Amino acid sequence: MLRRKKKKTTASNVTPFIPEGDFYYTKGVEAFKKRKFDIAIKWIQKAIEDKPHFPLYKCQLSIIYTETGAYHKANQLLTEVLQTGEYIDCYYLAANNYAHLGLLQDAKKYAQMYLDKKPEGDFSNDAAQLLDFIEIEDEEEENFSLEDEDELIVLQETAFYHMEHDEWEKAIPFIEELMENFPEQKLAVHDYALALFYTGRKEEAMHIEEDMLVDYPNNLHSHLNLALFYYETGEADYQTHIDIINNIYPMHEEQKLRIAEVFAKTANYGLAYERYQNISGEQAKRRASYYKWYSITAYQSGNPSKALRLWEEGLKRHPKLSEEEGPWAIKK
């Protein structure tokens, strides 16, 4: 039921109507049912502003984002809800979003968590069907021969090595072979665009990512590459992609690292510093670029002592960094 907050009665005996979260939420749901998604998002956001810790509102907004294909935004909201309290439906909603993003192991984890906690819940049939689908996908992957797996790993590691050392010409043949022999490895297309850009084929690289966004408007790696490409070619449109990326908080360390690095390379040091602080684990530390750009970010963010510590640790792990000038010598 909608409520009214009472204030002192005015001389005309009129009690002013002051909307609350429930009112905004109801208006948002009505707009959502009419598929007026932009309006629905605005109403639900106002409901969240009124009751920022009420989980239902954030879950409803995540559903709208899912409906519009903004899966990263949806999962960001669901993660916030799960971190602050137990709202079990969030587990299925997160599983559904991860499935759409192709992150099937994460989808499997959250779908199973939902069923464990609420086996007779409203989404139990949907969660079970999702697990069945993932099981079929897993069976197909099991048929992937060990020989093919070895070839894939060799190609990925070799391409990674050359890219980490800015040997873009050398990386291209291995990335091309990856795309030809393992077309399901979608990330290779974005690596290819990067390699093309840094070997002078900038227009071709930008066209690849622009065309990709037409079919997949929420593709994180396309936004990352275009932010970098447009920034380095002096196009103002790079800020549009920075703004989109800034609303994405992925779970995977590799994606976290890529976002932080693009922020650093586009001189958004405040944003980069925040993201780097949330990265942990050996996956990042095996990259010389992690130490290079994190130390630059720390230095530019007013933390020279931390920049020096990062740089010294990076030199121990990656002696090739000694060929660089250090975080205090910024080229961009």
Side-chain angles (χ1 to χ4, degrees), residues 5 19-22 24 45-53 57:
K5 290 181 179 178
E20 293 186 342
D22 291 343
Y24 297 131
Q45 285 175 335
K46 289 180 73 67
I48 293 172
E49 289 173 9
D50 189 74
K51 295 181 180 178
H53 303 298
Y57 297 164

Side-chain angles (χ1 to χ4, degrees), residues 136-156 178 181-185:
I136 293 171
E137 290 289 311
D138 287 343
E139 287 177 1
E140 289 182 359
E141 288 187 7
E142 287 175 4
N143 294 328
F144 192 69
S145 72
L146 291 176
E147 184 179 341
D148 288 339
E149 185 176 0
D150 289 342
E151 182 187 357
L152 173 61
I153 292 172
V154 169
L155 287 173
Q156 287 177 326
L178 260 173
N181 295 345
F182 304 95
E184 72 281 0
Q185 299 295 318

Side-chain angles (χ1 to χ4, degrees), residues 197 202-203 206 226 228-236 332:
F197 186 85
K202 296 182 178 181
E203 290 292 331
M206 286 188 280
L226 286 174
L228 192 58
F229 296 166
Y230 289 163
Y231 176 80
E232 295 202 4
T233 55
E235 295 191 33
K332 286 266 182 196

